[in-house]
Amino acid sequence: DVKVTQSSRYLVKRTGEKVFLECVQDMDHENMFWYRQDPGLGLRLIYFSYDVKMKEKGDIPEGYSVSREKKERFSLILESASTNQTSMYLCASSLLVSEQFFGPGTRLTVL
Amino acid sequence: AQTVTQSQPEMSVQEAETVTLSCTYDTSENNYYLFWYKQPPSRQMILVIRQEAYKQQNATENRFSVNFQKAAKSFSLKISDSQLGDTAMYFCAFAEYGQGNLIFGKGTKLSVKP
């Protein structure tokens, strides 16, 4: 079975802190994705990557950056966390165009 | 740009009954994929069912089936013999052929009542 893991289930940070959210998949998938999920808004794509060291902006990239130094790992970075970035963050991976496998999510609270 | 619309924010159904969740989408593409994902409370999102646009036959997975109407750009999910474990958020999603990223609807919260 594909496994996508995220470094934390719950995270509390202060405004202005630099925040790292880590995602690791174990099935050699080319594609990896970061979404944020907010009630009533569904899932919105922040960034995605089709290969190592490659990244593409999604629908809401402002305030975020990403890093993919290894195929299995895709990191989401909040350079200076703000309260409007309080949300559930979901990581996913996939092979080409096929179903995406999701991690358990990280619920981030920025105080 | 493609969009996905789920017009029912919340629904409820009695255990053992059948429920249909609606999804419409907008695209000018002819080849694409459609998905239904399930997110149980505090649990991981998982794929329920997938449909390729070039296939006329509706996809079925056990108690889950879809009604895919390409001309109407409609992709509804039918859950038969509803079970308590079907309680979840359900998301409809679209992927353009050759593209890896999904476009999601806003979700339908389904509650199955005993």
Side-chain angles (χ1 to χ4, degrees):
Chain A
D1 282 350
V2 175
K3 185 172 270 188
V4 180
T5 56
Q6 294 183 228
S7 50
S8 306
R9 287 300 303 271
Y10 300 93
L11 206 54
V12 180
K13 296 292 182 180
R14 298 222 172 261
T15 302
E17 278 193 78
K18 190 169 186 175
V19 182
F20 293 86
L21 303 183
E22 304 285 338
C23 176
V24 177
Q25 50 95 3
D26 67 357
M27 281 302 290
D28 203 34
H29 284 173
E30 286 85 3
N31 304 330
M32 296 189 75
F33 308 84
W34 274 106
Y35 298 90
R36 65 176 281 175
Q37 181 180 7
D38 300 288
L41 297 179
L43 276 73
R44 294 179 292 167
L45 182 64
I46 304 171
Y47 268 97
F48 60 102
S49 169
Y50 288 147
D51 203 350
V52 175
K53 295 190 187 295
M54 177 272 177
K55 60 186 178 184
E56 294 281 348
K57 293 180 179 179
D59 300 319
I60 51 164
E62 297 77 20
Y64 303 94
S65 62
V66 291
S67 172
R68 194 166 181 200
E69 296 296 319
K70 293 184 178 181
K71 192 174 186 179
E72 67 271 18
R73 188 179 298 268
F74 191 36
S75 303
L76 180 70
I77 304 155
L78 288 66
E79 294 289 342
S80 178
S82 63
T83 54
N84 63 12
Q85 292 178 310
T86 291
S87 186
M88 170 71 85
Y89 290 88
L90 297 178
C91 175
S93 72
S94 75
L95 265 177
L96 303 175
V97 182
S98 63
E99 72 172 283
Q100 291 187 13
F101 294 86
F102 284 83
T106 295
R107 187 167 294 281
L108 173 67
T109 302
V110 183
L111 301 175
Chain B
Q2 290 89 354
T3 58
V4 177
T5 302
Q6 294 179 248
S7 58
Q8 306 146 315
E10 290 193 43
M11 295 187 72
S12 65
V13 64
Q14 291 295 130
E15 198 174 5
E17 293 187 349
T18 295
V19 64
T20 299
L21 280 58
S22 301
C23 174
T24 58
Y25 57 94
D26 189 23
T27 183
S28 58
E29 301 296 325
N30 192 46
N31 294 323
Y32 50 86
Y33 302 86
L34 293 162
F35 306 85
W36 277 100
Y37 280 86
K38 169 185 177 181
Q39 187 182 38
S42 301
R43 290 179 61 190
Q44 225 146 319
M45 181 110 65
I46 57 172
L47 179 70
V48 175
I49 201 164
R50 158 191 165 133
Q51 175 84 41
E52 288 89 351
Y54 67 87
K55 290 186 178 178
Q56 292 187 342
Q57 187 171 7
N58 289 325
T60 300
E61 287 288 340
N62 301 313
R63 297 182 296 107
F64 297 87
S65 62
V66 297
N67 183 4
F68 173 48
Q69 302 287 330
K70 191 173 184 180
K73 297 180 183 175
S74 171
F75 184 60
S76 60
L77 175 69
K78 185 171 85 171
I79 306 173
S80 304
D81 185 25
S82 296
Q83 300 175 0
L84 297 178
D86 295 333
T87 292
M89 282 290 292
Y90 287 83
F91 292 96
C92 179
F94 169 99
E96 189 178 318
Y97 185 80
Q99 301 291 322
N101 49 309
L102 298 177
I103 299 166
F104 284 87
K106 294 183 179 180
T108 296
K109 184 177 181 181
L110 176 68
S111 299
V112 180
K113 300 186 184 304

